[in-house]
Amino acid sequence: MAAAALSHPAVLYTAGGWCFFVAENAVLSENRAWFIERVGERAYRGCYGLCSTASLASVGYGVWRHGPGPRLRAGVGGLSRVAGVAFQTLGLVGFANLAPPLTNPLAPDATGCPLDFKKARSDRERGDVHGLQRITRHPQFWAMGFCGLGVAAQTPFAGTAAAALGFPLVAALGGFHMDSRHRRGVGGSLTPEREAATSGMPFLALVEGRQSWTALAEDLKPVNSAVAAAASGALAVWVAL
């Protein structure tokens, strides 16, 4: 059954699209100067956009034309459901903490605006490791990645799982590639000190003691996190019904 599922068009188009997306981004961005020197920046940008569009179109076509694909299992067990909701919650809380802080409307110093843009601006200007950076150097990537893992764990269908697993694939390989470029000062910077204090893979620096769980809890935006956790719980109940 697994072999038949892996050869289904829904899986081939989605998995193939994601693999090509990761490969073409790595090759074209890693060799950007070489390509521009030979074909010019306009042609390089056009080729980059065309390849990325084609790869994501393959994913979209696989999902739209061939649906969720064949079943990998009869149903979703309790352990898979719990893991899926946990991953889903991590992803949604991550996205929520990337947004400006939501204010507590019942707080004595509430201003009436639901978003604290002043706090968001001061956080962006901080040069130290803080917030989601204590979990991973690539919080945007892994917020998507965890949401993808959550969907994959909660679906019995091969095509849906293949489409969802593309997000953690992009997060892992894209983050590794970004770190490689930043170490060389290409497109950003990653100093030895910052690399030693953080991790690309989520939670590794925290588990190894290079970051503090207490400091992370203090940095997280409480209202944003609570709203995201509640939304994840409501979504889990809706899916289970």
Side-chain angles (χ1 to χ4, degrees), residues 90 134-136 146 199 201-208 213 216:
L90 284 173
R134 298 185 188 278
I135 299 176
T136 172
F146 281 125
S199 63
M201 294 305 292
F203 297 103
L204 182 60
L206 286 159
V207 171
E208 292 180 344
W213 291 95
L216 172 63

Side-chain angles (χ1 to χ4, degrees), residues 39-141:
V39 302
E41 184 164 358
R42 183 175 181 181
Y44 167 79
R45 290 181 179 276
C47 179
Y48 205 148
L50 180 63
C51 289
S52 293
T53 300
S55 58
L56 295 178
S58 176
V59 176
Y61 178 78
V63 173
W64 173 74
R65 178 65 178 82
H66 298 284
R71 282 184 173 270
L72 285 172
R73 48 189 172 174
V76 180
L79 184 59
S80 294
R81 184 78 67 189
V82 169
V85 173
F87 285 133
Q88 170 183 289
T89 303
L90 284 173
L92 293 179
V93 170
F95 276 124
N97 277 270
L98 291 169
L102 289 167
T103 59
N104 182 352
L106 301 179
D109 57 347
T111 62
C113 179
L115 298 174
D116 189 346
F117 291 106
K118 184 177 180 181
K119 177 67 165 57
R121 185 165 52 252
S122 67
D123 285 344
R124 285 196 302 270
E125 294 171 352
R126 289 178 61 177
D128 61 329
V129 176
H130 64 281
L132 297 182
Q133 297 168 14
R134 298 185 188 278
I135 299 176
T136 172
R137 287 188 291 272
H138 313 290
Q140 296 91 341
F141 277 166

